[in-house]
Amino acid sequence: MENAKSFIAARVAKELKDGDVVNLGIGLPTIVPSYLPEGVNLVLQSENGIIGTGAKPTPDQADPMHITDAGGQPAIASPTGAYIDSTVSFGLIRGGHVDCTILGALEVDQEGNLANWIIPGKKVPGMGGAMDLVVGAKKVIVAMEHTAKGSHKILKKCNLPLTAINCVDLIVTEMGVLEVTPKGLVLKEYNPEFTVKQIQEATEAELIISDDLKAMA
Amino acid sequence: MTKFISPKEAAALIPEGASIMFGGFMGCGNAHKVIAELAKLGTKNLTMISNDGAMFNGPDGSEYYGVAKLIHNKQVKKMFATHVGLNPDVAQQMNEGTLELVLIPQGSMAEMIRAGGAGLGGVLTPTGVGTIVEKGEHVHSKVEIDGRVYLLERPLRADFALISGYKIDKAGNVWYKGTTRNFSEAMATAADTVIAEAEHVVEIGDIAPEDIVTFGVLVDYVVAPEEAQ
């Protein structure tokens, strides 16, 4: 599907409410705020030390030696935001003060286990704040393309080292919206460009089809 | 009593084999001048406790930004960090077997340092349960309390903490600008010797007591910019 990333981001944006405190992972999640409906404003957290991150700083405002986001890029606190230290930042995360975190995944499984930080022998960047975020945020949304160029990412059981166990609440892909429940993955919404059969074929885990299955909009 | 010294004198305080906590996040908040002098000295076999390995091409125009200088110079033999993805030197030296890396979740590392400075015996955190973090040398054990499972993480301390403040007064009180404070506030409590690099040295009273973040009693040495000496 063309524009899969913007389609996914637009659907994820509908999960968010005005005033939600949200931490966004790298990549696709960072474009979610551009799809928020009017009147929905988030309090974004940058785990390196901003609660209430502002819009991208202008060249005049940018002070990259002193104010950055967690990726090391110039950032700034919003007029209502604050600069905080790492212990407070992660106290907010673990303490349940972050309403939602949105991140990508290498693998996610039917028990809500998530793997997104390491490919042993290939890529060992480190977990950064991801393990704390998925354990501490009230809602964990995985936003990603449904497969990795055709190979399954939504599995019965993750193969890669985990970021955390039983942590994912919702998976949003270009094919559908899947909720993690104690019984397994429930397909709640589907993209009408695909059949339910195609979605199941792109998913290793067995899908439970919701009685209330809706088209993604 | 806080002593005022030059970046060169500060770097010379650190002996071979020392463990050092470096305040900073992707280089933002690193004590850039002292680190540059430490790189010139070439002091070896350091243990680095730092959120990350910073990155190449810093906003100050440096080819190796902040702590990346020390890694590039192969002065670090062991590193405790949360993320090293933006410094390819780390992966290369790990593969060559010259650098040992211990990865710790960011929130756990922050709290382990805080515990080290606050006299606590450890940190109980749900982060890392059910993952390979459980096997880390920093984890004492897995503990169940009232039905929830936690990792008992050991406190972290070091010989030195090397932090940077935007304004430091003549009593060693520190005010941080923007996101530079990150790990420094905790690190300044968790090391035997604390060195704070000042961008600006100010008079006592110029930082209001309410605005002091790291207090002078914790700071052993202030590194003043050349013009202030």
Side-chain angles (χ1 to χ4, degrees), chain A residues 186-208:
Chain A
V186 176
L187 183 68
K188 309 255 302 184
E189 294 177 29
Y190 71 105
N191 178 349
E193 285 189 29
F194 304 96
T195 64
V196 169
K197 186 165 176 275
Q198 283 174 317
I199 300 171
Q200 177 61 76
E201 278 166 6
T203 312
E204 189 201 65
E206 202 166 318
L207 297 176
I208 302 165

Short mmCIF file of all heavy atoms in Angstrom, two decimals, chain A residues 186-208:
data_model
loop_
_atom_site.label_atom_id
_atom_site.label_comp_id
_atom_site.label_asym_id
_atom_site.label_seq_id
_atom_site.Cartn_x
_atom_site.Cartn_y
_atom_site.Cartn_z
N VAL A 186 -7.41 -9.61 18.75
CA VAL A 186 -8.74 -9.40 18.17
C VAL A 186 -8.64 -8.37 17.05
O VAL A 186 -8.19 -7.24 17.28
CB VAL A 186 -9.74 -8.92 19.26
CG1 VAL A 186 -11.09 -8.61 18.63
CG2 VAL A 186 -9.87 -9.98 20.35
N LEU A 187 -9.05 -8.77 15.86
CA LEU A 187 -9.09 -7.82 14.74
C LEU A 187 -10.35 -6.97 14.90
O LEU A 187 -11.47 -7.47 14.77
CB LEU A 187 -9.11 -8.58 13.41
CG LEU A 187 -9.09 -7.70 12.16
CD1 LEU A 187 -7.76 -6.97 12.01
CD2 LEU A 187 -9.38 -8.52 10.89
N LYS A 188 -10.16 -5.69 15.24
CA LYS A 188 -11.30 -4.81 15.50
C LYS A 188 -11.69 -4.00 14.27
O LYS A 188 -12.84 -3.67 14.08
CB LYS A 188 -10.95 -3.81 16.62
CG LYS A 188 -10.38 -4.45 17.88
CD LYS A 188 -11.34 -4.50 19.01
CE LYS A 188 -11.87 -3.16 19.44
NZ LYS A 188 -12.74 -3.31 20.61
N GLU A 189 -10.68 -3.66 13.48
CA GLU A 189 -10.93 -2.88 12.27
C GLU A 189 -10.05 -3.42 11.15
O GLU A 189 -8.96 -3.92 11.41
CB GLU A 189 -10.58 -1.40 12.51
CG GLU A 189 -11.47 -0.72 13.53
CD GLU A 189 -11.04 0.73 13.79
OE1 GLU A 189 -10.48 1.36 12.87
OE2 GLU A 189 -11.25 1.20 14.91
N TYR A 190 -10.56 -3.33 9.92
CA TYR A 190 -9.75 -3.77 8.79
C TYR A 190 -9.76 -2.67 7.73
O TYR A 190 -10.70 -1.89 7.62
CB TYR A 190 -10.30 -5.08 8.21
CG TYR A 190 -11.61 -4.92 7.49
CD1 TYR A 190 -11.68 -4.95 6.10
CD2 TYR A 190 -12.78 -4.71 8.21
CE1 TYR A 190 -12.87 -4.77 5.44
CE2 TYR A 190 -13.99 -4.52 7.55
CZ TYR A 190 -14.03 -4.56 6.17
OH TYR A 190 -15.21 -4.35 5.52
N ASN A 191 -8.68 -2.62 6.98
CA ASN A 191 -8.61 -1.69 5.86
C ASN A 191 -9.31 -2.36 4.68
O ASN A 191 -8.88 -3.44 4.25
CB ASN A 191 -7.13 -1.42 5.54
CG ASN A 191 -6.95 -0.51 4.35
OD1 ASN A 191 -7.89 -0.22 3.61
ND2 ASN A 191 -5.73 -0.05 4.16
N PRO A 192 -10.38 -1.76 4.14
CA PRO A 192 -11.15 -2.40 3.06
C PRO A 192 -10.33 -2.68 1.79
O PRO A 192 -10.79 -3.40 0.91
CB PRO A 192 -12.26 -1.40 2.76
CG PRO A 192 -12.36 -0.53 3.97
CD PRO A 192 -10.99 -0.48 4.56
N GLU A 193 -9.12 -2.16 1.71
CA GLU A 193 -8.26 -2.53 0.58
C GLU A 193 -7.80 -3.99 0.67
O GLU A 193 -7.24 -4.53 -0.27
CB GLU A 193 -7.01 -1.63 0.54
CG GLU A 193 -7.29 -0.24 0.03
CD GLU A 193 -6.00 0.55 -0.19
OE1 GLU A 193 -4.96 -0.06 -0.50
OE2 GLU A 193 -6.06 1.78 -0.03
N PHE A 194 -7.99 -4.59 1.87
CA PHE A 194 -7.57 -5.97 2.07
C PHE A 194 -8.76 -6.80 2.55
O PHE A 194 -9.67 -6.28 3.19
CB PHE A 194 -6.46 -6.06 3.14
CG PHE A 194 -5.26 -5.21 2.82
CD1 PHE A 194 -5.13 -3.93 3.36
CD2 PHE A 194 -4.26 -5.68 1.99
CE1 PHE A 194 -4.03 -3.15 3.07
CE2 PHE A 194 -3.15 -4.90 1.70
CZ PHE A 194 -3.04 -3.63 2.24
N THR A 195 -8.71 -8.10 2.26
CA THR A 195 -9.72 -9.00 2.83
C THR A 195 -9.23 -9.48 4.19
O THR A 195 -8.02 -9.44 4.47
CB THR A 195 -9.95 -10.24 1.93
OG1 THR A 195 -8.72 -10.98 1.91
CG2 THR A 195 -10.35 -9.82 0.52
N VAL A 196 -10.15 -9.96 5.00
CA VAL A 196 -9.78 -10.51 6.30
C VAL A 196 -8.83 -11.70 6.09
O VAL A 196 -7.88 -11.89 6.85
CB VAL A 196 -11.05 -10.93 7.09
CG1 VAL A 196 -10.67 -11.74 8.33
CG2 VAL A 196 -11.85 -9.69 7.48
N LYS A 197 -9.06 -12.46 5.03
CA LYS A 197 -8.19 -13.60 4.71
C LYS A 197 -6.75 -13.12 4.45
O LYS A 197 -5.79 -13.71 4.96
CB LYS A 197 -8.74 -14.33 3.48
CG LYS A 197 -8.02 -15.61 3.14
CD LYS A 197 -8.83 -16.46 2.16
CE LYS A 197 -8.07 -17.71 1.74
NZ LYS A 197 -7.14 -17.48 0.62
N GLN A 198 -6.64 -12.04 3.70
CA GLN A 198 -5.29 -11.49 3.43
C GLN A 198 -4.62 -11.03 4.73
O GLN A 198 -3.42 -11.20 4.91
CB GLN A 198 -5.37 -10.33 2.44
CG GLN A 198 -5.58 -10.76 1.00
CD GLN A 198 -5.80 -9.56 0.08
OE1 GLN A 198 -6.54 -8.64 0.42
NE2 GLN A 198 -5.17 -9.59 -1.08
N ILE A 199 -5.40 -10.43 5.60
CA ILE A 199 -4.84 -9.94 6.87
C ILE A 199 -4.36 -11.13 7.72
O ILE A 199 -3.26 -11.11 8.27
CB ILE A 199 -5.86 -9.07 7.64
CG1 ILE A 199 -6.28 -7.86 6.79
CG2 ILE A 199 -5.27 -8.61 8.98
CD1 ILE A 199 -7.44 -7.06 7.36
N GLN A 200 -5.18 -12.19 7.74
CA GLN A 200 -4.76 -13.38 8.49
C GLN A 200 -3.49 -13.98 7.89
O GLN A 200 -2.58 -14.39 8.62
CB GLN A 200 -5.90 -14.41 8.51
CG GLN A 200 -5.54 -15.72 9.20
CD GLN A 200 -5.17 -15.53 10.68
OE1 GLN A 200 -6.03 -15.33 11.52
NE2 GLN A 200 -3.86 -15.56 11.00
N GLU A 201 -3.42 -14.01 6.57
CA GLU A 201 -2.23 -14.59 5.92
C GLU A 201 -0.97 -13.78 6.22
O GLU A 201 0.12 -14.33 6.25
CB GLU A 201 -2.45 -14.68 4.40
CG GLU A 201 -3.26 -15.93 4.01
CD GLU A 201 -3.78 -15.88 2.58
OE1 GLU A 201 -3.42 -14.94 1.83
OE2 GLU A 201 -4.53 -16.79 2.21
N ALA A 202 -1.15 -12.50 6.45
CA ALA A 202 0.01 -11.63 6.75
C ALA A 202 0.35 -11.66 8.25
O ALA A 202 1.25 -10.95 8.70
CB ALA A 202 -0.29 -10.21 6.31
N THR A 203 -0.39 -12.48 8.99
CA THR A 203 -0.23 -12.54 10.45
C THR A 203 0.03 -13.97 10.87
O THR A 203 -0.76 -14.86 10.52
CB THR A 203 -1.53 -12.05 11.15
OG1 THR A 203 -1.94 -10.83 10.55
CG2 THR A 203 -1.33 -11.86 12.64
N GLU A 204 1.12 -14.22 11.60
CA GLU A 204 1.37 -15.60 12.03
C GLU A 204 0.40 -16.01 13.14
O GLU A 204 -0.13 -17.12 13.15
CB GLU A 204 2.82 -15.76 12.53
CG GLU A 204 3.18 -17.22 12.77
CD GLU A 204 4.36 -17.39 13.70
OE1 GLU A 204 4.25 -17.00 14.89
OE2 GLU A 204 5.39 -17.89 13.25
N ALA A 205 0.15 -15.09 14.07
CA ALA A 205 -0.78 -15.40 15.16
C ALA A 205 -2.19 -15.55 14.59
O ALA A 205 -2.54 -14.91 13.59
CB ALA A 205 -0.76 -14.27 16.18
N GLU A 206 -2.99 -16.40 15.24
CA GLU A 206 -4.36 -16.59 14.78
C GLU A 206 -5.22 -15.42 15.25
O GLU A 206 -5.23 -15.10 16.45
CB GLU A 206 -4.90 -17.90 15.33
CG GLU A 206 -6.04 -18.43 14.52
CD GLU A 206 -6.35 -19.88 14.85
OE1 GLU A 206 -5.38 -20.67 15.00
OE2 GLU A 206 -7.53 -20.21 14.99
N LEU A 207 -5.93 -14.80 14.32
CA LEU A 207 -6.73 -13.64 14.68
C LEU A 207 -8.12 -14.06 15.15
O LEU A 207 -8.73 -14.98 14.60
CB LEU A 207 -6.87 -12.71 13.47
CG LEU A 207 -5.57 -12.10 12.94
CD1 LEU A 207 -5.86 -11.29 11.67
CD2 LEU A 207 -4.94 -11.20 14.00
N ILE A 208 -8.59 -13.37 16.17
CA ILE A 208 -9.99 -13.50 16.58
C ILE A 208 -10.71 -12.34 15.90
O ILE A 208 -10.31 -11.18 16.06
CB ILE A 208 -10.11 -13.39 18.12
CG1 ILE A 208 -9.26 -14.48 18.80
CG2 ILE A 208 -11.57 -13.46 18.55
CD1 ILE A 208 -9.02 -14.24 20.28
#
